[in-house]
Amino acid sequence: MTGPYAFAPVAAGRFSGLMSPEFIAAGLTRLFEADRFPGPGFEVEHVHGNIGVTWRVSSPALPCPLFAKRFVHPPLVALRSLFRATGAGRSWRAATIMAETGIPGPRPVAVMSRKAAGLTVESIFVSAAIADPLDRDLERWFRSRFDRPDLGPELLAEKREAIDRLADLYRAAHSQSRLYFPDFHPHNMVVTRENGRLRLWLVDFDEVNFRVRTGDIIKNLASLGRNSVKVQKKMTGGGRITTGDRLRFLRRYLGPDATRDSVHRLWREVLDNWERR
């Protein structure tokens, strides 16, 4: 790839892989040079570790803050790495495909791995942090903004805009056939505001599949529906996710050619899948 997504081979300490030349020049290789990752000389904050362990990494020398996700591969996983990509390799590949297909996500910065006896025992995916997110994730932001009984005109308009942006993100993800996101949920997204307009980003995609099978899109939409019920249960301040909100999402998702029949046909397909779980 070219431009901001160009990568160069790099070796640092016990690690080797690919890294953006811009970040090589900024000294990011030092993060990998110590005996134990992460190396000194950076501000490092442990963030979470559902799959792998994630750190937020920053330094005045870096062009922007980063997230580094580390995957440790026990023996059986290390053996499988002979035949399939590592966790970090899958994340890096997904991030580059997202950039190519127009799915908003973090900029990939580096993918590094450490080998022992010819097997990959550790891999790390580094990406640029999304600048100025409005909250830790979309779900938290949505509840903090709209969990109240009376939204008023401005908040109601903002809620509708958020639903539209969510539908746009799903449509972008479902308009290509190279990636499928099984864990496509609001807690894996962040929201920003750029020039007065909301924008959503998909930031966690460890479980990505590199093919889309029959029924995957409906499963995604049904999963979002089930997730919206969970979010609703957490909204204890009187806010609601209404049938009108769900219909608005489906109309926007289907695009300008959506009709009443096409919206209700999709609604029925989603509900059928939802009820089978």
Side-chain angles (χ1 to χ4, degrees):
M1 300 178 69
T2 59
Y5 295 111
F7 297 94
V10 66
R14 296 178 295 169
F15 288 88
S16 62
L18 297 171
M19 187 177 292
S20 162
E22 179 184 8
F23 286 84
I24 295 175
L28 182 60
T29 52
R30 296 196 308 273
L31 190 68
F32 301 90
E33 290 174 352
D35 290 337
R36 185 179 179 86
F37 181 87
F42 299 87
E43 294 181 23
V44 178
E45 175 191 1
H46 178 252
V47 182
H48 59 77
N50 294 332
I51 299 177
V53 178
T54 302
W55 289 273
R56 181 180 173 90
V57 179
S58 58
S59 164
L62 294 176
C64 64
L66 304 172
F67 284 107
K69 190 153 195 173
R70 174 177 177 250
F71 300 82
V72 176
H73 306 289
L76 286 178
V77 176
L79 280 171
R80 286 202 299 269
S81 72
L82 292 172
F83 309 101
R84 59 174 291 177
T86 63
R90 290 171 62 82
S91 294
W92 177 81
R93 180 183 172 193
T96 56
I97 293 174
M98 288 168 65
E100 292 168 358
T101 55
I103 302 171
R107 171 187 172 183
V109 169
V111 57
M112 304 289 284
S113 62
R114 177 174 66 86
K115 292 188 175 183
L119 301 177
T120 300
V121 295
E122 186 177 0
S123 63
I124 298 169
F125 170 61
V126 183
S127 61
I130 302 298
D132 302 320
L134 299 180
D135 207 324
R136 188 178 69 193
D137 58 52
L138 173 61
E139 179 185 321
R140 282 171 55 96
W141 175 81
F142 187 91
R143 288 192 282 116
S144 70
R145 294 294 287 170
F146 308 122
D147 187 12
R148 59 199 77 195
D150 183 11
L151 294 180
E154 291 186 5
L155 277 178
L156 182 59
E158 186 177 47
K159 183 186 182 187
R160 289 171 175 169
E161 183 188 6
I163 292 169
D164 288 349
R165 297 292 83 76
L166 183 63
D168 292 345
L169 181 58
Y170 270 76
R171 186 170 66 247
H174 291 165
S175 296
Q176 52 78 47
S177 59
R178 299 169 65 187
L179 296 172
Y180 168 62
F181 304 96
D183 196 22
F184 198 1
H185 297 142
H187 58 261
N188 289 330
M189 306 170 195
V190 297
V191 57
T192 61
R193 187 175 292 281
E194 300 176 7
N195 300 318
R197 178 183 171 90
L198 293 179
R199 187 173 186 188
L200 269 58
W201 308 77
L202 181 59
V203 295
D204 198 341
F205 35 84
D206 296 319
E207 299 181 19
V208 66
N209 294 331
F210 293 99
R211 62 172 180 164
V212 182
R213 296 170 296 188
T214 302
D216 280 346
I217 288 175
I218 295 299
K219 283 195 294 186
N220 253 179
L221 295 172
S223 179
L224 176 64
R226 288 189 293 271
N227 195 263
S228 72
V229 173
K230 295 177 183 177
V231 173
Q232 177 66 79
K233 290 179 179 178
K234 297 177 184 177
M235 295 175 72
T236 58
R240 304 291 298 171
I241 299 174
T242 67
T243 298
D245 294 334
R246 294 184 172 94
L247 288 173
R248 182 183 186 90
F249 172 90
L250 292 176
R251 283 194 296 268
R252 180 78 180 195
Y253 172 83
L254 287 172
D257 295 329
T259 64
R260 180 184 177 89
D261 286 345
S262 65
V263 169
H264 283 274
R265 188 162 53 247
L266 179 57
W267 177 283
R268 186 68 261 168
E269 287 185 71
V270 170
L271 286 180
D272 286 346
N273 186 284
W274 188 338
E275 292 166 357
R276 286 199 296 268
R277 290 293 298 272

